[in-house]
Every structure is written in C-alpha cells, then in structure tokens.
Amino acid sequence: TPVSMLEARSITEQHTINVKVSYEQRPIGGILTVKVEVVPVFSGIGSASRPIAIKELSQAVDNLDEDSLGSIISDLSHKLGEEYAAK
C-alpha cells in the first residue's frame, strides 16, 4: 500500500507484518524457524495485539546465508498476504 493511501485509512484499519526468526543449532546444521504474522497497528489502549493471520515454516538447514533467509521471509510474507487478501 502506498504511504499516501495510509492517511485515508483509520489507524484501526492498518496492519503490519511481524517476522520472527529462530535458529536452533545442531551438530550438523540446524533447524530454522520463520514465523510471519499480520498484526493490527492499533487494537486499543492497553490491549494486546494478537495476530490476525500467521504463516510458519520450520526446516533443517546445512548452511544459512542472508540471501536464502531473505528469500524464505519474502516467500512466506507474499503467501500470507495473498491468503489474507483472499479472505
């Protein structure tokens, strides 16, 4: 969404995407877990914001680099966005 369009929406209609990445090391490689969430920007004063939609991936990896991690995050974010927009 272009920034100029955000002004037309109230804060209760705006959302953000949170990305959480964890890596659990193993003797050879490790387990990579990526969680992508759509969360309201504002849900009320003093109230917790709960995710509206979640997409998570866990997989074994031998070597981890920034390009492959960026690709995984991008793919999950796009899939989550498509699923959320289809609702």
Side-chain angles (χ1 to χ4, degrees), residues 25-64:
Q25 186 142 359
R26 301 295 173 136
I28 299 175
I31 306 295
L32 174 69
T33 302
V34 178
K35 181 190 275 187
V36 181
E37 306 170 331
V38 174
V39 180
V41 170
F42 180 77
S43 62
I45 297 173
S47 63
S49 293
R50 291 192 170 88
I52 297 171
I54 300 173
K55 196 90 168 150
E56 186 172 357
L57 171 76
S58 292
Q59 67 182 32
V61 292
D62 289 333
N63 60 5
L64 184 61

Side-chain angles (χ1 to χ4, degrees), residues 1-78:
T1 302
V3 174
S4 61
M5 291 184 65
L6 293 177
E7 294 175 7
R9 293 184 176 177
S10 76
I11 195 165
T12 58
E13 296 173 332
Q14 296 177 27
H15 299 85
T16 185
I17 292 183
N18 293 345
V19 178
K20 297 175 185 175
V21 178
S22 63
Y23 180 76
E24 189 177 322
Q25 186 142 359
R26 301 295 173 136
I28 299 175
I31 306 295
L32 174 69
T33 302
V34 178
K35 181 190 275 187
V36 181
E37 306 170 331
V38 174
V39 180
V41 170
F42 180 77
S43 62
I45 297 173
S47 63
S49 293
R50 291 192 170 88
I52 297 171
I54 300 173
K55 196 90 168 150
E56 186 172 357
L57 171 76
S58 292
Q59 67 182 32
V61 292
D62 289 333
N63 60 5
L64 184 61
D65 62 31
E66 290 179 20
D67 291 336
S68 61
L69 180 58
S71 178
I72 292 170
I73 292 171
S74 178
D75 290 346
L76 276 179
S77 298
H78 287 296

